[in-house]
Amino acid sequence: MAVPERPAPERPPEPDRAVDGAPERAPEPRRCLVTGATGYIGGRLVPELLAAGHQVRCVARSPEKLRDHPWAGRVETVRADVTDGASIGAAMAGVDVAYYLVHALGTGPGFEETDRRAARIFGDRARAAEVRRIVYLGGLTPRGVPERTLSPHLRSRAEVGRVLLDSGVPTAVLRAGVIVGSGSASFEMLRYLTERLPVMVTPRWVHTRTQPIAVRDVLRLLVGCATLPDEVHRTFDIGGPDVLTYLDMMRRYAAVTGLRRRLVAPVPVLTPRLSSLWVGLVTPVPGAIARPLVESLRHEVVCAERDIVRYVPDPPGGPLGVDRALELALRRVRDAKVATRWSSAATPGASSDPLPTDPDWAGGSLYQDRRARAVDASPEDVWRVVEGIGGENGWYSMPLAWALRGWIDTLVGGVGLRRGRRDAAHLRVGDSLDFWRVEEVLPPRLLRLRAEMRLPGLAWLEMTVGRDARGGTVYRQRALFHPRGLAGHLYWWSVAPFHALVFGGMARNIAARAEKDVAGTDTGGTDAAGTSSPASRSRS
């Protein structure tokens, strides 16, 4: 559809393009409005736009949800709702590019009407505010299939794109299929189905071909759309280099994560509606979201064109393939869920990392055992006990249980407890510590250990020392486990009954040891846990 002519707002001239092979000058910065900044894509797009030199104004119904983002001080935040014409219209004042990254999926059976109304309001207000461009991320739809026969999810995404294209504002509609990145509902559904079901009874839709795309490529293209020429007004299909079935993706996921090849038993009579109920039972992805996603897999969704590369060229090496995208997403999930979420020592290095705004089920299951003890000793005294843990000093609870666990690990080819520790009183990052390795140590407040024993998953033990609101010393302890496959979940629940003895005893005895050392009652003997005092050893 042709875009109606309208007076162009005054703005600086476009930068010069490349001449005779000279490099292009960077496009002029844009003033970008981002809706959905508290969501999966929006929360990752904002820092990418800032890195590209653009100004960003975030729209949120609850702006307070954005205050803890590292980029919060670099953006303007506005309280508005896309279904409220007055508020969204005011938010668009002075904006060059408006990103539409919201949808009503999961809000109930009336989500299509809500999406339709919100898109009309957004388009109308964008035209009234003389916004130069709308950018919308929608869903890839199958070729040659009447829109009325599509799933409600895909049908609504297509309609929203059409409404925005009809708004009279130059619009770029990016249509994507499965987005590979932690937090994506499609990807998380893939994760849980593959990990938890070594033998799968599958419906026909797992044989449907799709063209997944890595989240970092989605973000790169969204950022590139901010500086599209004004005459560009159309849809673009976006996808990665691989075309494969959903079953292929599940097998690729299993291979990347080291799981055994999944056995598949096809059941042709399992309809998308019935299988969506099955997905809701097997995975923690909310049923209201899982159902439309499953139903949308009835049809093949493969890119019909790659015209976007004319305006936003591929990066060196091309877009990420499925295997590499899965590897990066999984590595970021595992690192960020422990090293980033719980410690400021490391920050996510890529836009596919989980963020605080991700749904609770994003990033896979993470089991935790938490303990806390008030200690009648200074933080420094408690820290000496914490830093002296392991090796000959022991683990402050059930020494026989720790020894048995070490023996089992040795029998199955693991490192066992025989490695001990490099120094009896001090640790540094990278030290081996029995069947753990020191992942982070920040004296006198944090010690985080990563398990190197043979486990069906990843495990950490985190110990922190601090003060409470009244100035008293508090010792906190967390055991964390990221299961891999069904065996991982079974492992956690099989050992969970012993956590009160092992981890509860550890916290209690560490606190008691610090108090005894301060009181001077310890003479270098052993405590109730069968451990000797590292503090007394260091003084002897």
Side-chain angles (χ1 to χ4, degrees):
M1 172 181 173
V3 180
E5 295 184 359
R6 56 187 174 89
E10 294 185 5
R11 55 181 182 268
E14 293 289 341
D16 296 334
R17 299 297 179 186
V19 178
D20 296 330
E24 294 185 357
R25 292 173 52 191
E28 66 168 293
R30 300 290 200 264
R31 291 159 291 184
C32 300
L33 179 82
V34 177
T35 62
T38 59
Y40 169 61
I41 292 292
R44 290 158 169 76
L45 177 62
V46 170
E48 298 294 326
L49 289 170
L50 292 171
H54 301 299
Q55 301 174 33
V56 179
R57 179 182 297 164
C58 294
V59 168
R61 289 178 294 179
S62 302
E64 58 273 11
K65 292 183 179 180
L66 299 174
R67 67 187 179 197
D68 291 331
H69 284 270
W71 40 259
R74 301 170 57 197
V75 304
E76 180 184 359
T77 303
V78 177
R79 187 183 303 273
D81 190 322
V82 293
T83 61
D84 177 12
S87 67
I88 196 65
M92 288 182 176
V95 165
D96 297 313
V97 182
Y99 285 90
Y100 193 79
L101 303 175
V102 294
H103 60 76
L105 178 64
T107 61
F111 79 90
E112 288 184 86
E113 173 55 33
T114 302
D115 276 340
R116 183 183 307 116
R117 179 166 56 90
R120 287 172 178 165
I121 291 172
F122 192 85
D124 291 344
R125 295 298 175 168
R127 181 172 183 176
E130 297 187 334
V131 171
R132 292 172 59 176
R133 172 162 303 283
I134 293 173
V135 181
Y136 169 58
L137 178 62
L140 194 58
T141 55
R143 287 175 288 175
V145 178
E147 190 172 301
R148 66 179 182 277
T149 65
L150 297 177
S151 70
H153 166 58
L154 282 182
R155 187 168 61 235
S156 179
R157 291 297 184 94
E159 184 180 22
V160 167
R162 188 169 58 253
V163 168
L164 295 175
L165 286 167
D166 290 344
S167 67
V169 178
T171 298
V173 175
L174 303 187
R175 307 194 309 169
V178 174
I179 296 176
V180 180
S182 62
S184 160
S186 299
F187 176 64
E188 296 298 340
M189 190 171 74
L190 171 71
R191 169 204 301 278
Y192 283 105
L193 288 175
T194 308
E195 287 196 351
R196 295 188 173 180
L197 296 175
V199 178
M200 292 177 282
V201 177
T202 60
R204 285 177 295 181
W205 54 260
V206 299
H207 300 286
T208 302
R209 293 201 313 162
T210 186
Q211 191 166 353
I213 182 171
V215 66
R216 63 173 57 188
D217 286 318
V218 174
L219 297 172
R220 175 179 56 81
L221 294 171
L222 286 170
V223 172
C225 285
T227 52
L228 288 176
D230 288 349
E231 65 270 15
V232 176
H233 179 74
R234 54 166 292 183
T235 64
F236 293 98
D237 292 352
I238 62 172
D242 300 309
V243 176
L244 63 172
T245 68
Y246 202 84
L247 179 58
D248 291 333
M249 291 183 63
M250 297 171 85
R251 287 172 170 163
R252 295 276 190 97
Y253 179 92
V256 167
T257 55
L259 298 172
R260 292 182 178 180
R261 183 179 177 88
R262 284 7 215 168
L263 302 178
V264 176
V267 180
V269 297
L270 197 58
T271 65
R273 182 172 296 276
L274 290 175
S275 60
S276 68
L277 298 176
W278 165 64
V279 169
L281 290 174
V282 174
T283 81
V285 177
I289 295 177
R291 182 171 297 112
L293 290 177
V294 169
E295 291 177 345
S296 69
L297 293 171
R298 290 181 297 172
H299 304 290
E300 180 176 285
V301 283
V302 177
C303 295
E305 42 82 13
R306 293 192 69 241
D307 295 348
I308 189 67
V309 298
R310 295 166 50 193
Y311 305 99
V312 187
D314 286 339
L320 290 180
V322 167
D323 290 346
R324 182 59 176 157
L326 287 171
E327 290 171 2
L328 290 175
L330 289 167
R331 187 178 70 191
R332 299 294 188 251
V333 165
R334 290 166 179 172
D335 290 345
K337 272 295 183 181
V338 175
T340 303
R341 182 176 178 183
W342 291 287
S343 172
S344 60
T347 55
S351 49
S352 56
D353 294 347
L355 297 175
T357 51
D358 284 344
D360 293 339
W361 43 262
S365 300
L366 187 71
Y367 294 116
Q368 301 187 47
D369 180 277
R370 296 169 178 259
R371 309 283 168 173
R373 301 284 298 188
V375 189
D376 188 16
S378 71
E380 291 75 19
D381 290 321
V382 179
W383 177 255
R384 277 195 293 271
V385 180
V386 169
E387 195 175 12
I389 202 167
E392 293 185 7
N393 297 332
W395 292 88
Y396 292 94
S397 69
M398 301 187 68
L400 181 59
W402 285 95
L404 179 61
R405 186 64 185 87
W407 295 334
I408 294 174
D409 193 55
T410 302
L411 289 174
V412 297
V415 296
L417 288 172
R418 63 181 181 269
R419 295 191 304 180
R421 52 178 294 157
R422 178 187 58 86
D423 184 287
H426 303 289
L427 294 173
R428 63 189 184 195
V429 172
D431 277 355
S432 60
L433 182 57
D434 296 335
F435 43 46
W436 305 87
R437 187 169 297 277
V438 179
E439 187 173 81
E440 183 61 277
V441 55
L442 298 174
R445 62 184 181 85
L446 169 67
L447 173 62
R448 184 169 59 246
L449 308 175
R450 180 191 290 265
E452 292 190 338
M453 66 192 83
R454 293 294 182 93
L455 291 170
L458 299 174
W460 295 263
L461 179 60
E462 184 178 85
M463 293 162 275
T464 60
V465 183
R467 292 188 181 276
D468 59 21
R470 295 176 296 179
T473 302
V474 178
Y475 168 73
R476 293 184 174 87
Q477 177 182 294
R478 285 186 288 188
L480 306 112
F481 184 66
H482 191 300
R484 184 178 68 244
L486 181 61
H489 295 275
L490 294 176
Y491 171 81
W492 173 264
W493 289 113
S494 69
V495 300
F498 303 101
H499 287 172
L501 294 174
V502 176
F503 295 126
M506 180 188 297
R508 182 172 60 254
N509 290 324
I510 285 176
R513 173 56 60 191
E515 291 172 347
K516 288 180 181 179
D517 289 346
V518 171
T521 59
D522 185 85
T523 60
T526 59
D527 61 12
T531 61
S532 57
S533 167
S536 64
R537 289 176 178 223
S538 64
R539 289 194 297 265
S540 62

